[in-house]
Amino acid sequence: MLIGYARVSTADQTLALQQDALQKAGCSKIFTDTAGGANPERRGLEEALEYLREGDTLVVWRLDRLGRSLKHLIETITKLQERNIGFKSLTENIDTTTSGGKLIFHIFGALAEFERDIIRERTKAGLQAARARGRLGGRPKALNEKKAAAQQLYDDKRHTIADICKTLNVSRATLYRYIKTAPKAPIEEDA
């Protein structure tokens, strides 16, 4: 059974073109969404995926109507294949129920994996270059600029922890973490 899925990004757009193409392709049921591609919540797609049974084929007008990104598209189609459900894109003429369609899909998957590997390699190279220049990654600590003031206020027993936190605009946990790990100043002795 062919099951269709159509999506438009805004309420101003119409589903008619996609629905007509899906009906012409022989879809017996069509699920729809009106949501941007980046919007993770798509009720129509979720309903379509739940409705599909082994041996069915999910049909879309174009690839970008199904996936928010290439990664999402590949994940969705892979899940369909694991359930023995085919996938067909009318505009790109991809049909995973045929050997040629499977080949095209696997090429897309390989390209997506290649892209992820290149991004990972660039990130590692950038971090190494930054470390070589003495820069450390990670989020800056909240008290870096306030260390001396925090230690001084903490050592002065006239201030409550709540007052110190409010003054420095930090949480109790952050203050305690700093105080616990801060090096103690040497105690000067009177001669």
Side-chain angles (χ1 to χ4, degrees):
M1 182 183 304
L2 299 178
I3 306 299
Y5 174 69
R7 177 182 63 83
V8 291
S9 301
T10 65
D12 297 341
Q13 297 173 332
T14 178
L15 290 162
L17 171 70
Q18 294 177 54
Q19 289 173 321
D20 290 348
L22 293 170
Q23 286 173 348
K24 186 176 178 183
C27 293
S28 58
K29 188 164 180 71
I30 299 173
F31 294 87
T32 63
D33 274 320
T34 301
N39 184 356
E41 188 173 318
R42 294 194 273 170
R43 176 67 63 208
L45 178 58
E46 291 171 14
E47 290 173 1
L49 294 175
E50 287 175 21
Y51 185 83
L52 288 162
R53 299 294 174 247
E54 186 174 329
D56 289 348
T57 300
L58 178 65
V59 183
V60 295
W61 177 62
R62 274 188 17 195
L63 285 174
D64 66 345
R65 300 296 86 198
L66 177 63
R68 298 187 306 266
S69 63
L70 182 58
K71 180 181 180 221
H72 178 257
L73 179 68
I74 290 171
E75 287 172 356
T76 304
I77 295 174
T78 301
K79 288 177 184 173
L80 291 174
Q81 286 183 333
E82 290 169 356
R83 294 172 52 199
N84 292 322
I85 296 170
F87 171 76
K88 186 184 266 187
S89 172
L90 301 176
T91 304
E92 288 85 3
N93 200 22
I94 295 174
D95 184 351
T96 64
T97 62
T98 68
S99 54
K102 285 179 186 175
L103 172 66
I104 295 295
F105 174 70
H106 287 296
I107 290 171
F108 280 162
L111 290 173
E113 186 173 343
F114 176 71
E115 179 185 26
R116 285 191 301 273
D117 287 345
I118 287 190
I119 291 169
R120 194 175 305 119
E121 288 172 10
R122 286 183 189 152
T123 302
K124 282 183 182 179
L127 289 171
Q128 287 175 345
R131 281 189 207 108
R133 290 180 176 79
R135 297 189 62 196
L136 298 176
R139 183 172 178 236
K141 304 290 184 230
L143 285 176
N144 277 351
E145 299 172 0
K146 307 169 187 176
K147 286 180 180 179
Q151 189 67 54
Q152 187 177 14
L153 289 170
Y154 183 79
D155 291 342
D156 184 356
K157 302 298 181 194
R158 294 179 293 168
H159 304 287
T160 66
I161 296 297
D163 289 339
I164 297 170
C165 291
K166 187 174 180 181
T167 301
L168 298 175
N169 195 25
V170 297
S171 69
R172 282 180 176 261
T174 301
L175 179 66
Y176 283 128
R177 195 170 30 250
Y178 169 69
I179 299 299
K180 181 179 177 184
T181 60
K184 300 295 178 191
I187 299 173
E188 296 179 17
E189 296 181 19
D190 292 333

